[in-house]
């Protein structure tokens, strides 16, 4: 009898331990598996994860405005000023030039007592020819009073032959040439003549180097 009682007591103790452990496990599970609402009611804040720094930097870079260069602004201002000036010039030209057609002059009025040549003496073209001739001929020449007379005559003849090719018919040519030493003093040369200002003409050129100067005057007189 005593042995049976002892075995019953041992079995009861084992059952009580098992139930105690089960109840403890249930309490722990209940405490672990509490809903999120209980945490909020207890005053635990809802903490959000901080944003990624790399993503914020990318957003800042996208939102930043593009840089403005000073050269670009100056170029735009210059372009605007040039455009305004062009428009103003066009308006002025339109306002100045009338829409009327030019009146052609059929016959040029010839003064009384003047000759009327078919072609005029081309003094502009002749002046360029004489200037080029003097530059090529006297570039490396030094002044010598003993040979200056022969040099003057030779230059006059060469200039008359050259101008004769471009002068219209019935024009007589007179060439006046002066050569002198180039010093510290200034020289002024002048000429005076009586002629027909409508048909006659004149051209003059000068050249100088380190040692000498040369002045050429060519008169073209029309003879009927």
């Amino acid at each position: 009898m005593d042995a049976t009682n002892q075995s019953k007591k041992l079995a009861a103790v084992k059952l009580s331990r098992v139930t105690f452990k089960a109840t403890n496990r249930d309490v722990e599970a209940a405490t672990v598996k509490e809903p999120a609402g209980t945490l909020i009611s207890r005053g635990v804040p809802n903490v959000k994860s901080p944003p990624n720094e790399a993503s914020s930097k990318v957003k800042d870079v996208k939102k930043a405005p593009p840089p403005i260069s000073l050269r670009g602004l100056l170029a735009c201002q210059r372009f605007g000023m040039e455009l305004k000036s062009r428009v103003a010039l066009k308006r002025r030209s339109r306002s100045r030039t009338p829409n009327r057609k030019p009146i052609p002059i059929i016959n040029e009025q010839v003064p009384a007592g003047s000759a009327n040549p078919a072609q005029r003496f081309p003094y502009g073209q002749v002046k360029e020819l004489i200037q080029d001739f003097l530059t090529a001929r006297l570039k490396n020449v030094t002044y010598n009073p003993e040979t200056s007379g022969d040099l003057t005559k030779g230059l006059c003849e060469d200039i008359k032959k050259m101008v004769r090719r471009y002068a219209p018919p019935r024009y007589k040519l007179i060439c006046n040439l002066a050569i002198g030493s180039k010093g510290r003093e200034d020289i002024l040369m002048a000429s005076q003549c009586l002629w027909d200002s409508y048909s006659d003409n004149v051209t003059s050129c000068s050249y100088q180097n380190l040692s000498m100067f040369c002045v050429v005057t060519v008169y073209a007189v029309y003879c009927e």
Side-chain angles (χ1 to χ4, degrees):
M1 291 295 293
D2 294 331
T4 57
N5 291 329
Q6 289 179 356
S7 61
K8 288 179 179 181
K9 290 179 179 180
L10 292 171
V13 169
K14 288 180 179 180
L15 289 171
S16 64
R17 286 180 180 176
V18 170
T19 55
F20 179 75
K21 288 181 179 180
T23 53
N24 288 335
R25 287 178 181 176
D26 293 334
V27 172
E28 290 175 1
T31 55
V32 170
K33 295 181 180 180
E34 285 184 19
T38 57
L39 292 173
I40 296 170
S41 63
R42 289 179 185 178
V44 179
N46 190 6
V47 180
K48 295 181 180 180
S49 62
N52 192 4
E53 294 180 359
S55 63
S56 63
K57 289 181 180 179
V58 171
K59 290 180 181 178
D60 294 338
V61 170
K62 290 181 180 179
K63 291 180 181 179
I68 300 173
S69 62
L70 183 60
R71 292 182 179 177
L73 291 174
L74 293 175
C76 292
Q77 289 180 357
R78 290 176 183 173
F79 180 75
M81 293 296 290
E82 290 179 358
L83 187 61
K84 288 181 181 179
S85 63
R86 289 178 183 177
V87 172
L89 288 173
K90 286 183 179 179
R91 289 179 180 176
R92 290 177 184 175
S93 62
R94 289 176 183 176
S95 62
R96 289 179 181 177
T97 55
N99 295 325
R100 300 176 183 176
K101 295 181 179 180
I103 300 173
I105 298 174
I106 299 174
N107 294 322
E108 188 178 0
Q109 295 180 359
V110 181
S114 297
N116 188 10
Q119 296 179 2
R120 297 289 185 85
F121 181 74
Y123 65 92
Q125 186 179 3
V126 171
K127 184 175 182 179
E128 293 180 359
L129 292 171
I130 296 172
Q131 192 69 45
D132 295 338
F133 174 77
L134 293 177
T135 303
R137 186 72 179 271
L138 302 176
K139 184 177 181 180
N140 298 321
V141 177
T142 57
Y143 178 74
N144 188 358
E146 296 179 358
T147 60
S148 61
D150 296 335
L151 180 62
T152 302
K153 293 180 181 178
L155 290 175
C156 284
E157 294 297 329
D158 294 339
I159 289 172
K160 283 194 293 184
K161 289 179 182 179
M162 180 180 62
V163 176
R164 177 60 63 186
R165 299 175 185 175
Y166 298 92
R170 304 185 65 86
Y171 269 98
K172 290 185 177 181
L173 301 178
I174 302 169
C175 183
N176 185 9
L177 191 144
I179 293 177
S181 175
K182 184 178 178 182
R184 296 181 181 179
E185 298 82 7
D186 295 334
I187 297 175
L188 179 62
M189 298 185 66
S191 62
Q192 187 177 5
C193 60
L194 182 63
W195 63 357
D196 187 356
S197 60
Y198 181 79
S199 59
D200 302 337
N201 214 324
V202 63
T203 182
S204 180
C205 299
S206 62
Y207 175 80
Q208 58 181 350
N209 55 17
L210 297 175
S211 63
M212 62 181 297
F213 69 89
C214 179
V215 179
V216 180
T217 306
V218 176
Y219 300 94
V221 181
Y222 181 75
C223 297
E224 290 184 342

